[in-house]
Amino acid sequence: QDYEQLEQENSMLREQLGYLADGSVTKIPAMVIGGSANNFFKSIVINKGSKNGIEKNMPVIAYVDGYQSLVGKVVEASAHTAVVKPLTDYSLYVPAVLQKYRYQGLVNGLFMDFVSREASSRIGCGDLVVTSGLNGSYPENIFIGKVKSISSKEYETSLRLEIDPFVDFSRLEYVFVLSKEESDET
């Protein structure tokens, strides 16, 4: 049983190291050491901090099935640890776009709001949602999740999409913090 656990951990670390060696962006690898993405804590604590170059408002991603997936952003950094506000938190706003048809909106607490009503005839459950890169807070084309459901009220001018995130926050162990230089370039 210990052997299987070590083999699984080695496989996961090899995948993470391969991602780190990508070289096209600057990433700071970190391990989740505390907190929770549930409704009680709404935070994730990682084992890297300001001494490692981490600053407030830096985007945090995870490598999920070969894709960069949004975890959240740094909201506090001490010398050796940092606190990350996860995508599931209702106080986090992420400019996003539907990957296929490029309809824009704003993701907040796993809902995407302000999507044009025109999109209702084109989009469907399972469509991919990615970061748009607008306002420079997050680089573009980082996966957020898939459309789970679509709703709107008759008197509203936009759609509301429920999002199923790519990141399984209950199993999150390793993340990458994107350096300030990277997030400013995009």
Short mmCIF file of all heavy atoms in Angstrom, two decimals, residues 102-160:
data_model
loop_
_atom_site.label_atom_id
_atom_site.label_comp_id
_atom_site.label_asym_id
_atom_site.label_seq_id
_atom_site.Cartn_x
_atom_site.Cartn_y
_atom_site.Cartn_z
N ARG A 102 -16.84 32.72 -27.90
CA ARG A 102 -16.22 33.96 -27.44
C ARG A 102 -17.18 34.95 -26.78
O ARG A 102 -16.91 36.14 -26.72
CB ARG A 102 -15.44 34.65 -28.57
CG ARG A 102 -14.47 33.77 -29.31
CD ARG A 102 -13.55 32.97 -28.44
NE ARG A 102 -12.53 33.79 -27.80
CZ ARG A 102 -11.66 33.33 -26.93
NH1 ARG A 102 -11.68 32.06 -26.58
NH2 ARG A 102 -10.77 34.10 -26.39
N TYR A 103 -18.30 34.48 -26.25
CA TYR A 103 -19.18 35.36 -25.48
C TYR A 103 -18.52 35.63 -24.14
O TYR A 103 -18.06 34.71 -23.47
CB TYR A 103 -20.56 34.74 -25.28
CG TYR A 103 -21.39 34.74 -26.53
CD1 TYR A 103 -21.56 33.58 -27.27
CD2 TYR A 103 -22.01 35.91 -26.97
CE1 TYR A 103 -22.33 33.58 -28.43
CE2 TYR A 103 -22.78 35.92 -28.12
CZ TYR A 103 -22.93 34.76 -28.85
OH TYR A 103 -23.68 34.76 -30.00
N GLN A 104 -18.50 36.90 -23.74
CA GLN A 104 -17.83 37.29 -22.51
C GLN A 104 -18.80 37.36 -21.35
O GLN A 104 -20.01 37.50 -21.53
CB GLN A 104 -17.16 38.65 -22.69
CG GLN A 104 -16.07 38.62 -23.72
CD GLN A 104 -15.39 39.97 -23.88
OE1 GLN A 104 -15.52 40.85 -23.04
NE2 GLN A 104 -14.65 40.12 -24.96
N GLY A 105 -18.23 37.27 -20.14
CA GLY A 105 -19.00 37.40 -18.93
C GLY A 105 -18.07 37.54 -17.74
O GLY A 105 -16.87 37.72 -17.90
N LEU A 106 -18.64 37.43 -16.56
CA LEU A 106 -17.87 37.58 -15.33
C LEU A 106 -18.18 36.40 -14.42
O LEU A 106 -19.33 36.19 -14.05
CB LEU A 106 -18.25 38.90 -14.65
CG LEU A 106 -17.36 39.42 -13.55
CD1 LEU A 106 -15.94 39.69 -14.06
CD2 LEU A 106 -17.94 40.70 -12.97
N VAL A 107 -17.14 35.61 -14.10
CA VAL A 107 -17.33 34.45 -13.23
C VAL A 107 -17.20 34.91 -11.78
O VAL A 107 -16.27 35.62 -11.42
CB VAL A 107 -16.30 33.33 -13.53
CG1 VAL A 107 -16.35 32.23 -12.49
CG2 VAL A 107 -16.54 32.76 -14.92
N ASN A 108 -18.18 34.46 -10.98
CA ASN A 108 -18.23 34.82 -9.57
C ASN A 108 -18.87 33.67 -8.82
O ASN A 108 -20.05 33.36 -9.04
CB ASN A 108 -19.04 36.11 -9.42
CG ASN A 108 -19.38 36.44 -8.00
OD1 ASN A 108 -20.54 36.35 -7.62
ND2 ASN A 108 -18.41 36.80 -7.22
N GLY A 109 -18.09 33.00 -7.96
CA GLY A 109 -18.64 31.91 -7.17
C GLY A 109 -19.21 30.78 -8.01
O GLY A 109 -20.27 30.26 -7.71
N LEU A 110 -18.54 30.44 -9.07
CA LEU A 110 -18.94 29.36 -9.98
C LEU A 110 -20.20 29.64 -10.77
O LEU A 110 -20.90 28.72 -11.22
CB LEU A 110 -19.02 28.01 -9.26
CG LEU A 110 -17.70 27.54 -8.67
CD1 LEU A 110 -17.86 26.17 -8.04
CD2 LEU A 110 -16.61 27.52 -9.73
N PHE A 111 -20.49 30.92 -10.96
CA PHE A 111 -21.53 31.34 -11.89
C PHE A 111 -20.91 32.35 -12.84
O PHE A 111 -20.07 33.14 -12.44
CB PHE A 111 -22.71 32.00 -11.16
CG PHE A 111 -23.57 31.01 -10.43
CD1 PHE A 111 -23.34 30.75 -9.09
CD2 PHE A 111 -24.58 30.32 -11.08
CE1 PHE A 111 -24.13 29.82 -8.41
CE2 PHE A 111 -25.38 29.40 -10.41
CZ PHE A 111 -25.14 29.15 -9.07
N MET A 112 -21.31 32.30 -14.08
CA MET A 112 -20.86 33.29 -15.07
C MET A 112 -22.06 34.15 -15.42
O MET A 112 -23.05 33.66 -15.96
CB MET A 112 -20.30 32.60 -16.31
CG MET A 112 -19.72 33.55 -17.33
SD MET A 112 -18.88 32.60 -18.63
CE MET A 112 -18.44 33.90 -19.77
N ASP A 113 -21.98 35.42 -15.08
CA ASP A 113 -23.07 36.37 -15.31
C ASP A 113 -22.72 37.32 -16.44
O ASP A 113 -21.58 37.39 -16.88
CB ASP A 113 -23.35 37.16 -14.03
CG ASP A 113 -23.95 36.30 -12.94
OD1 ASP A 113 -24.90 35.54 -13.23
OD2 ASP A 113 -23.47 36.37 -11.79
N PHE A 114 -23.74 38.06 -16.88
CA PHE A 114 -23.60 39.10 -17.90
C PHE A 114 -23.23 38.54 -19.28
O PHE A 114 -22.58 39.20 -20.07
CB PHE A 114 -22.58 40.17 -17.47
CG PHE A 114 -22.82 40.68 -16.08
CD1 PHE A 114 -21.91 40.42 -15.06
CD2 PHE A 114 -23.99 41.37 -15.78
CE1 PHE A 114 -22.15 40.87 -13.78
CE2 PHE A 114 -24.23 41.83 -14.49
CZ PHE A 114 -23.31 41.57 -13.48
N VAL A 115 -23.67 37.32 -19.56
CA VAL A 115 -23.46 36.72 -20.87
C VAL A 115 -24.63 37.15 -21.75
O VAL A 115 -25.80 37.02 -21.36
CB VAL A 115 -23.40 35.18 -20.78
CG1 VAL A 115 -23.24 34.55 -22.15
CG2 VAL A 115 -22.27 34.75 -19.85
N SER A 116 -24.33 37.64 -22.94
CA SER A 116 -25.36 38.14 -23.85
C SER A 116 -26.45 37.10 -24.11
O SER A 116 -26.16 35.92 -24.30
CB SER A 116 -24.71 38.54 -25.18
OG SER A 116 -25.69 38.83 -26.14
N ARG A 117 -27.69 37.55 -24.14
CA ARG A 117 -28.83 36.66 -24.45
C ARG A 117 -28.69 36.02 -25.84
O ARG A 117 -29.24 34.97 -26.10
CB ARG A 117 -30.15 37.42 -24.38
CG ARG A 117 -30.76 37.37 -23.01
CD ARG A 117 -32.20 37.91 -23.12
NE ARG A 117 -32.85 37.83 -21.86
CZ ARG A 117 -33.53 36.77 -21.43
NH1 ARG A 117 -33.62 35.71 -22.18
NH2 ARG A 117 -34.12 36.77 -20.26
N GLU A 118 -27.97 36.69 -26.73
CA GLU A 118 -27.73 36.15 -28.07
C GLU A 118 -27.09 34.77 -27.99
O GLU A 118 -27.25 33.95 -28.89
CB GLU A 118 -26.80 37.06 -28.88
CG GLU A 118 -27.39 38.36 -29.30
CD GLU A 118 -26.36 39.20 -30.05
OE1 GLU A 118 -25.38 38.64 -30.57
OE2 GLU A 118 -26.54 40.42 -30.11
N ALA A 119 -26.35 34.52 -26.95
CA ALA A 119 -25.62 33.26 -26.79
C ALA A 119 -26.55 32.07 -26.56
O ALA A 119 -26.15 30.93 -26.78
CB ALA A 119 -24.64 33.38 -25.63
N SER A 120 -27.76 32.32 -26.13
CA SER A 120 -28.66 31.22 -25.73
C SER A 120 -28.91 30.20 -26.84
O SER A 120 -29.11 29.02 -26.56
CB SER A 120 -29.98 31.76 -25.19
OG SER A 120 -30.66 32.44 -26.21
N SER A 121 -28.88 30.62 -28.09
CA SER A 121 -29.13 29.67 -29.18
C SER A 121 -27.87 28.90 -29.60
O SER A 121 -27.95 27.93 -30.32
CB SER A 121 -29.69 30.41 -30.40
OG SER A 121 -28.76 31.35 -30.88
N ARG A 122 -26.71 29.34 -29.12
CA ARG A 122 -25.45 28.70 -29.53
C ARG A 122 -24.80 27.86 -28.45
O ARG A 122 -24.20 26.84 -28.74
CB ARG A 122 -24.46 29.77 -29.98
CG ARG A 122 -24.85 30.44 -31.24
CD ARG A 122 -23.72 31.31 -31.70
NE ARG A 122 -23.98 31.77 -33.05
CZ ARG A 122 -23.41 32.80 -33.59
NH1 ARG A 122 -22.54 33.48 -32.89
NH2 ARG A 122 -23.69 33.15 -34.81
N ILE A 123 -24.86 28.32 -27.23
CA ILE A 123 -24.12 27.64 -26.17
C ILE A 123 -24.93 26.50 -25.56
O ILE A 123 -26.16 26.47 -25.68
CB ILE A 123 -23.65 28.61 -25.06
CG1 ILE A 123 -24.85 29.25 -24.37
CG2 ILE A 123 -22.73 29.66 -25.65
CD1 ILE A 123 -24.48 30.10 -23.17
N GLY A 124 -24.22 25.60 -24.90
CA GLY A 124 -24.90 24.49 -24.26
C GLY A 124 -24.10 23.95 -23.10
O GLY A 124 -22.95 24.36 -22.87
N CYS A 125 -24.68 23.04 -22.37
CA CYS A 125 -23.98 22.41 -21.25
C CYS A 125 -22.74 21.69 -21.79
O CYS A 125 -22.79 21.08 -22.85
CB CYS A 125 -24.90 21.43 -20.53
SG CYS A 125 -26.25 22.28 -19.70
N GLY A 126 -21.65 21.82 -21.07
CA GLY A 126 -20.40 21.20 -21.48
C GLY A 126 -19.46 22.15 -22.20
O GLY A 126 -18.29 21.84 -22.38
N ASP A 127 -19.96 23.32 -22.64
CA ASP A 127 -19.08 24.30 -23.29
C ASP A 127 -18.02 24.77 -22.31
O ASP A 127 -18.29 24.92 -21.10
CB ASP A 127 -19.87 25.49 -23.81
CG ASP A 127 -20.65 25.19 -25.09
OD1 ASP A 127 -20.47 24.08 -25.65
OD2 ASP A 127 -21.45 26.04 -25.51
N LEU A 128 -16.83 25.03 -22.81
CA LEU A 128 -15.70 25.41 -21.96
C LEU A 128 -15.68 26.91 -21.67
O LEU A 128 -15.95 27.72 -22.55
CB LEU A 128 -14.39 25.01 -22.63
CG LEU A 128 -14.20 23.53 -22.90
CD1 LEU A 128 -12.89 23.28 -23.64
CD2 LEU A 128 -14.23 22.74 -21.61
N VAL A 129 -15.32 27.24 -20.43
CA VAL A 129 -15.18 28.62 -19.99
C VAL A 129 -13.71 28.83 -19.62
O VAL A 129 -13.13 28.03 -18.88
CB VAL A 129 -16.07 28.91 -18.76
CG1 VAL A 129 -15.87 30.34 -18.27
CG2 VAL A 129 -17.54 28.66 -19.09
N VAL A 130 -13.11 29.90 -20.17
CA VAL A 130 -11.70 30.22 -19.91
C VAL A 130 -11.58 31.68 -19.51
O VAL A 130 -12.50 32.47 -19.72
CB VAL A 130 -10.82 29.94 -21.15
CG1 VAL A 130 -10.84 28.46 -21.53
CG2 VAL A 130 -11.23 30.79 -22.34
N THR A 131 -10.44 32.03 -18.93
CA THR A 131 -10.20 33.43 -18.59
C THR A 131 -10.08 34.24 -19.88
O THR A 131 -9.57 33.75 -20.89
CB THR A 131 -8.91 33.59 -17.75
OG1 THR A 131 -7.82 33.01 -18.47
CG2 THR A 131 -9.05 32.93 -16.39
N SER A 132 -10.55 35.48 -19.84
CA SER A 132 -10.53 36.32 -21.05
C SER A 132 -9.27 37.15 -21.17
O SER A 132 -8.94 37.62 -22.26
CB SER A 132 -11.75 37.25 -21.05
OG SER A 132 -11.63 38.20 -20.02
N GLY A 133 -8.58 37.39 -20.06
CA GLY A 133 -7.40 38.25 -20.09
C GLY A 133 -7.74 39.72 -19.94
O GLY A 133 -6.85 40.56 -19.84
N LEU A 134 -9.03 40.06 -19.93
CA LEU A 134 -9.43 41.46 -19.77
C LEU A 134 -9.02 41.96 -18.40
O LEU A 134 -9.03 41.23 -17.43
CB LEU A 134 -10.94 41.62 -19.95
CG LEU A 134 -11.46 41.36 -21.36
CD1 LEU A 134 -12.99 41.47 -21.38
CD2 LEU A 134 -10.86 42.34 -22.35
N ASN A 135 -8.68 43.18 -18.29
CA ASN A 135 -8.23 43.94 -17.11
C ASN A 135 -6.88 43.47 -16.56
O ASN A 135 -6.41 44.00 -15.57
CB ASN A 135 -9.32 44.03 -16.01
CG ASN A 135 -9.35 42.90 -15.02
OD1 ASN A 135 -8.52 41.99 -15.02
ND2 ASN A 135 -10.32 42.96 -14.12
N GLY A 136 -6.25 42.48 -17.17
CA GLY A 136 -4.90 42.08 -16.79
C GLY A 136 -4.76 41.31 -15.49
O GLY A 136 -3.65 41.00 -15.07
N SER A 137 -5.86 41.00 -14.82
CA SER A 137 -5.77 40.28 -13.54
C SER A 137 -5.34 38.83 -13.72
O SER A 137 -4.66 38.28 -12.87
CB SER A 137 -7.11 40.31 -12.82
OG SER A 137 -7.47 41.61 -12.49
N TYR A 138 -5.80 38.22 -14.82
CA TYR A 138 -5.49 36.81 -15.09
C TYR A 138 -5.08 36.70 -16.55
O TYR A 138 -5.68 37.34 -17.42
CB TYR A 138 -6.74 35.93 -14.87
CG TYR A 138 -7.30 36.05 -13.48
CD1 TYR A 138 -8.28 36.99 -13.19
CD2 TYR A 138 -6.85 35.22 -12.46
CE1 TYR A 138 -8.80 37.11 -11.90
CE2 TYR A 138 -7.36 35.34 -11.18
CZ TYR A 138 -8.33 36.28 -10.91
OH TYR A 138 -8.83 36.40 -9.64
N PRO A 139 -4.07 35.88 -16.84
CA PRO A 139 -3.71 35.66 -18.25
C PRO A 139 -4.89 35.03 -18.99
O PRO A 139 -5.74 34.38 -18.39
CB PRO A 139 -2.55 34.66 -18.17
CG PRO A 139 -2.03 34.78 -16.78
CD PRO A 139 -3.20 35.15 -15.92
N GLU A 140 -4.94 35.21 -20.29
CA GLU A 140 -6.05 34.66 -21.06
C GLU A 140 -5.90 33.16 -21.29
O GLU A 140 -4.80 32.62 -21.21
CB GLU A 140 -6.21 35.40 -22.39
CG GLU A 140 -5.04 35.25 -23.33
CD GLU A 140 -5.24 36.04 -24.60
OE1 GLU A 140 -6.40 36.29 -25.00
OE2 GLU A 140 -4.23 36.43 -25.19
N ASN A 141 -7.04 32.54 -21.54
CA ASN A 141 -7.13 31.12 -21.92
C ASN A 141 -6.72 30.12 -20.84
O ASN A 141 -6.28 29.02 -21.16
CB ASN A 141 -6.37 30.85 -23.22
CG ASN A 141 -7.02 31.56 -24.39
OD1 ASN A 141 -8.25 31.62 -24.48
ND2 ASN A 141 -6.21 32.14 -25.24
N ILE A 142 -6.87 30.48 -19.59
CA ILE A 142 -6.70 29.51 -18.50
C ILE A 142 -8.08 28.91 -18.25
O ILE A 142 -9.07 29.63 -18.10
CB ILE A 142 -6.15 30.17 -17.23
CG1 ILE A 142 -4.73 30.67 -17.49
CG2 ILE A 142 -6.17 29.18 -16.06
CD1 ILE A 142 -4.10 31.41 -16.33
N PHE A 143 -8.15 27.59 -18.23
CA PHE A 143 -9.44 26.92 -18.08
C PHE A 143 -10.05 27.18 -16.71
O PHE A 143 -9.37 27.12 -15.70
CB PHE A 143 -9.29 25.41 -18.30
CG PHE A 143 -9.06 25.05 -19.73
CD1 PHE A 143 -7.78 25.02 -20.26
CD2 PHE A 143 -10.12 24.79 -20.57
CE1 PHE A 143 -7.56 24.71 -21.59
CE2 PHE A 143 -9.92 24.48 -21.90
CZ PHE A 143 -8.63 24.44 -22.42
N ILE A 144 -11.34 27.47 -16.71
CA ILE A 144 -12.10 27.68 -15.47
C ILE A 144 -13.00 26.48 -15.23
O ILE A 144 -13.01 25.91 -14.15
CB ILE A 144 -12.92 28.98 -15.55
CG1 ILE A 144 -11.98 30.19 -15.61
CG2 ILE A 144 -13.87 29.08 -14.36
CD1 ILE A 144 -12.67 31.51 -15.85
N GLY A 145 -13.76 26.09 -16.23
CA GLY A 145 -14.66 24.95 -16.07
C GLY A 145 -15.54 24.76 -17.28
O GLY A 145 -15.29 25.31 -18.35
N LYS A 146 -16.59 23.98 -17.08
CA LYS A 146 -17.57 23.70 -18.14
C LYS A 146 -18.93 24.22 -17.71
O LYS A 146 -19.25 24.22 -16.52
CB LYS A 146 -17.67 22.19 -18.38
CG LYS A 146 -16.42 21.58 -18.94
CD LYS A 146 -16.62 20.09 -19.15
CE LYS A 146 -15.34 19.48 -19.70
NZ LYS A 146 -15.49 18.04 -19.92
N VAL A 147 -19.73 24.62 -18.68
CA VAL A 147 -21.08 25.08 -18.40
C VAL A 147 -21.89 23.90 -17.88
O VAL A 147 -21.96 22.85 -18.52
CB VAL A 147 -21.75 25.68 -19.66
CG1 VAL A 147 -23.21 26.03 -19.38
CG2 VAL A 147 -20.97 26.90 -20.14
N LYS A 148 -22.49 24.09 -16.71
CA LYS A 148 -23.30 23.04 -16.07
C LYS A 148 -24.79 23.27 -16.35
O LYS A 148 -25.53 22.33 -16.58
CB LYS A 148 -23.02 23.05 -14.58
CG LYS A 148 -23.62 21.93 -13.81
CD LYS A 148 -23.14 22.00 -12.36
CE LYS A 148 -23.68 20.87 -11.53
NZ LYS A 148 -23.16 20.92 -10.15
N SER A 149 -25.20 24.53 -16.31
CA SER A 149 -26.60 24.87 -16.61
C SER A 149 -26.67 26.33 -17.07
O SER A 149 -25.79 27.13 -16.80
CB SER A 149 -27.49 24.64 -15.39
OG SER A 149 -27.18 25.57 -14.38
N ILE A 150 -27.77 26.64 -17.78
CA ILE A 150 -27.99 27.98 -18.32
C ILE A 150 -29.36 28.46 -17.84
O ILE A 150 -30.34 27.73 -17.93
CB ILE A 150 -27.97 27.95 -19.87
CG1 ILE A 150 -26.65 27.36 -20.36
CG2 ILE A 150 -28.20 29.35 -20.44
CD1 ILE A 150 -26.66 26.98 -21.83
N SER A 151 -29.40 29.70 -17.34
CA SER A 151 -30.68 30.23 -16.88
C SER A 151 -30.76 31.73 -17.15
O SER A 151 -29.74 32.39 -17.35
CB SER A 151 -30.88 29.95 -15.39
OG SER A 151 -29.90 30.64 -14.63
N SER A 152 -31.97 32.23 -17.16
CA SER A 152 -32.20 33.67 -17.25
C SER A 152 -33.65 33.94 -16.87
O SER A 152 -34.51 33.07 -16.98
CB SER A 152 -31.93 34.20 -18.67
OG SER A 152 -32.91 33.75 -19.55
N LYS A 153 -33.87 35.14 -16.42
CA LYS A 153 -35.23 35.56 -16.11
C LYS A 153 -35.73 36.39 -17.29
O LYS A 153 -34.94 37.04 -17.98
CB LYS A 153 -35.23 36.36 -14.81
CG LYS A 153 -34.81 35.49 -13.63
CD LYS A 153 -35.06 36.18 -12.32
CE LYS A 153 -34.87 35.19 -11.20
NZ LYS A 153 -33.70 35.31 -10.43
N GLU A 154 -37.02 36.36 -17.50
CA GLU A 154 -37.60 37.02 -18.67
C GLU A 154 -37.23 38.50 -18.74
O GLU A 154 -36.98 39.04 -19.81
CB GLU A 154 -39.12 36.86 -18.62
CG GLU A 154 -39.80 37.28 -19.90
CD GLU A 154 -41.27 36.99 -19.86
OE1 GLU A 154 -41.66 35.86 -19.50
OE2 GLU A 154 -42.04 37.92 -20.17
N TYR A 155 -37.15 39.17 -17.61
CA TYR A 155 -36.89 40.61 -17.59
C TYR A 155 -35.40 40.96 -17.62
O TYR A 155 -35.03 42.12 -17.72
CB TYR A 155 -37.53 41.25 -16.35
CG TYR A 155 -37.08 40.64 -15.05
CD1 TYR A 155 -35.91 41.08 -14.42
CD2 TYR A 155 -37.80 39.62 -14.45
CE1 TYR A 155 -35.49 40.52 -13.23
CE2 TYR A 155 -37.39 39.06 -13.25
CZ TYR A 155 -36.23 39.51 -12.66
OH TYR A 155 -35.82 38.95 -11.48
N GLU A 156 -34.51 39.97 -17.57
CA GLU A 156 -33.07 40.24 -17.58
C GLU A 156 -32.53 40.26 -19.01
O GLU A 156 -33.03 39.56 -19.88
CB GLU A 156 -32.33 39.20 -16.74
CG GLU A 156 -32.61 39.33 -15.26
CD GLU A 156 -31.87 38.29 -14.42
OE1 GLU A 156 -31.43 37.27 -14.97
OE2 GLU A 156 -31.76 38.52 -13.22
N THR A 157 -31.51 41.05 -19.21
CA THR A 157 -30.92 41.18 -20.54
C THR A 157 -29.74 40.25 -20.77
O THR A 157 -29.14 40.26 -21.83
CB THR A 157 -30.44 42.63 -20.77
OG1 THR A 157 -29.46 42.95 -19.77
CG2 THR A 157 -31.60 43.61 -20.72
N SER A 158 -29.39 39.45 -19.78
CA SER A 158 -28.25 38.54 -19.93
C SER A 158 -28.57 37.17 -19.34
O SER A 158 -29.55 36.99 -18.63
CB SER A 158 -27.01 39.14 -19.27
OG SER A 158 -27.22 39.30 -17.88
N LEU A 159 -27.69 36.23 -19.66
CA LEU A 159 -27.81 34.86 -19.17
C LEU A 159 -26.96 34.66 -17.93
O LEU A 159 -25.98 35.37 -17.70
CB LEU A 159 -27.32 33.87 -20.24
CG LEU A 159 -28.02 33.89 -21.58
CD1 LEU A 159 -27.30 32.95 -22.54
CD2 LEU A 159 -29.48 33.49 -21.43
N ARG A 160 -27.30 33.64 -17.16
CA ARG A 160 -26.49 33.22 -16.01
C ARG A 160 -26.14 31.76 -16.25
O ARG A 160 -27.01 30.92 -16.42
CB ARG A 160 -27.24 33.37 -14.71
CG ARG A 160 -26.40 32.92 -13.53
CD ARG A 160 -27.06 33.27 -12.23
NE ARG A 160 -26.04 33.84 -11.38
CZ ARG A 160 -26.06 33.74 -10.06
NH1 ARG A 160 -27.05 33.14 -9.44
NH2 ARG A 160 -25.10 34.28 -9.36
#
